[in-house]
Every structure is written in C-alpha cells, then in structure tokens.
Amino acid sequence: MITALIFAGGTGQRMNSASKPKQFLELHGKPIIIYTIEHFEWHPEIDNIIVVCLESWIKELKRFLKLYDIRKVSKIIAGGISGDKSIYNGLKAMRGTHASDDIVLIHDGVRPLINENLISENIATAKRCGNAITCEATFESIIQSSNGNEIDNIPKRSEMFVAKAPQTFRYGDIWDLYQQAENDGHTPLDSAHLCSLYGVKLHIVRSTPNNIKITAPQDYYIFRALHEAMENRQILGV
C-alpha cells in the first residue's frame, strides 16, 4: 500500500490570519489544503490518504472533502502541539492497517505546488533505496554560524540543498524512528532531520520548481501568482 500522510495541524501564527488557519485560506474559493490533497487524490499510485488536522477544523475539512469529491482520504486525525507531534499522531494511526514495507509519503498540507512526476519519483526512489527526500539546490551561499554573530563556515554552494516535501519512507522504518525520538526526547524539524539524528542514509529526489511552503502572508501571494500563471499557460499556451 502507498499512503500519503498530509499534516495540516498548525495554527499558522506567522500568517497573521485571525479568521482561519493558513491551510484553510482560499484561492478561487478552494482551500489550500484541498489543492494539496488533490495531487495525491489524482495520482494513480496513491492508494490511501491520511490527513492530520486541527481538531477544531476536522468537521470543516470533511465538508470540503465531500464538496471536492475527495475519495481516498480514509482517516482524519487530530494534530499535535507541533509538526513532529502531528506526524507522530498520523503514523500512529496507521498501525494495524499498514505493513512495515508499505510506502508513506509525508507532506505539508500547505505545500500545494507539487506535481504528479515529483510524487512518482518519490515512490520509485523509496521503493529502490528505502527513502526519498525532496530537495532543492540552493542558488545562494549558505552561512554556518554557531552564535549568530560570527561566520564559522561557508560550505560549497554546489553541495548545498534545501529539504522540501514530500519525504518518503517505508512505514516501519519511519515509525520506529519517531517512536525512538519520542522516547529520547528529540524534537526533529522534519522527517529528514529525524533520520539524520539517527544516522540514516538518505536519498535525494530533485524538487519541482516553486515548491513553496505557505507560512507567511507573502507566501500566499506568491502561491496565487504562480497558480494563476500556470492556469494561463494551460489556457493560452504561453
């Protein structure tokens, strides 16, 4: 089985939206979370979708899933106090229904500008290598500083990447690591960071362009501009 685990449990404090969390902000009447889910709903290799959502917004999410005819979502799980806790809750909900070697794609609910090919590449790489981390090459120098005042190191730009999503694993492997982190008191930044804490060899899948995470107000406007540009290209052929 191949499952997309989409976590959307955050309140979006950096978005400064008083009315609704960032994943439910709308573009042309459709919430960002639905744009994201649709990529997995329409992908022929995805068998199942589990969404981790703010508990107070689960009812609203169910309404949108019905409105947009989303049929692959089998479970909606209440989110945790942080992103890593939300992923933990989602993986925990998969126990008993997923085999150890099943594939799970972990993806941000507010990262809607992916495509079918990126999902396919993640699945193929995870099947072949055990995991797949979507990464984007950096185009500027990365500065390393231990105190925030002085530069310790400037790594070669050609060797630097930014971790994106999806991040894809065999279910048993990633669930074991999240349980271990829970026991050890680690708070990983994301699943790739968790793997690095425990010395797991990771494999790169090159990201699609503009694979942004909508976190701050400017991200929403970038998403709107990029989405409309893609629509115009389809309609006008430009």
Side-chain angles (χ1 to χ4, degrees):
M1 184 185 296
I2 300 177
T3 294
L5 174 58
I6 299 174
F7 64 101
T11 56
Q13 294 178 352
R14 282 173 287 184
M15 185 59 74
N16 299 321
S17 173
S19 60
K20 58 183 67 176
K22 57 187 178 181
Q23 57 271 35
F24 287 95
L25 294 176
E26 297 179 9
L27 177 63
H28 305 317
K30 183 190 296 187
I32 292 169
I33 181 67
I34 297 297
Y35 282 100
T36 302
I37 291 173
E38 284 179 335
H39 290 292
F40 299 95
E41 173 74 16
W42 297 337
H43 196 285
E45 292 184 88
I46 299 294
D47 302 305
N48 179 44
I49 301 171
I50 294 175
V51 183
V52 183
C53 181
L54 278 170
E55 189 167 11
S56 59
W57 281 79
I58 289 177
K59 184 178 180 180
E60 186 72 353
L61 176 59
K62 288 180 177 178
R63 184 178 73 84
F64 281 118
L65 294 176
K66 185 176 181 180
L67 179 63
Y68 288 97
D69 196 29
I70 304 295
R71 302 185 181 187
K72 289 184 181 178
V73 174
S74 63
K75 293 181 181 180
I76 302 175
I77 308 300
I81 60 173
S82 60
D84 66 296
K85 298 300 182 186
S86 290
I87 295 171
Y88 180 88
N89 288 355
L91 292 170
K92 186 177 181 180
M94 295 169 66
R95 292 189 304 173
T97 57
H98 290 69
S100 180
D101 59 351
D102 284 348
I103 299 296
V104 55
L105 295 90
I106 300 174
H107 192 71
D108 305 288
V110 288
R111 203 182 284 274
L113 291 174
I114 60 171
N115 62 21
E116 180 178 336
N117 184 63
L118 181 60
I119 295 172
S120 297
E121 286 293 318
N122 266 263
I123 293 169
T125 301
K127 284 182 175 180
R128 186 174 66 252
C129 303
N131 59 61
I133 307 300
T134 302
C135 296
E136 184 176 304
T138 61
F139 297 100
E140 298 185 76
S141 296
I142 301 297
I143 303 297
Q144 185 177 358
S145 173
S146 57
N147 60 17
N149 297 311
E150 299 171 331
I151 295 173
D152 297 328
N153 186 34
I154 303 178
K156 289 182 180 179
R157 190 184 306 174
S158 60
E159 298 176 356
M160 294 296 103
F161 296 82
V162 177
K164 302 276 187 172
Q167 298 183 2
T168 306
F169 307 90
R170 293 193 182 103
Y171 171 64
D173 294 342
I174 195 64
W175 172 233
D176 287 348
L177 285 176
Y178 269 96
Q179 288 184 94
Q180 186 66 47
E182 186 80 2
N183 294 333
D184 294 343
H186 289 312
T187 305
L189 299 174
D190 61 9
S191 301
H193 178 228
L194 170 64
C195 290
S196 71
L197 289 174
Y198 291 102
V200 176
K201 185 176 182 179
L202 298 172
H203 302 271
I204 289 176
V205 169
R206 297 299 181 103
S207 180
T208 50
N210 306 313
N211 185 4
I212 63 170
K213 182 179 179 182
I214 300 173
T215 303
Q218 60 267 30
D219 301 323
Y220 173 83
Y221 294 112
I222 292 170
F223 165 55
R224 185 173 70 179
L226 290 169
H227 185 271
E228 290 176 353
M230 287 187 288
E231 283 188 329
N232 290 339
R233 189 161 61 242
Q234 291 179 52
I235 295 168
L236 304 175
V238 295

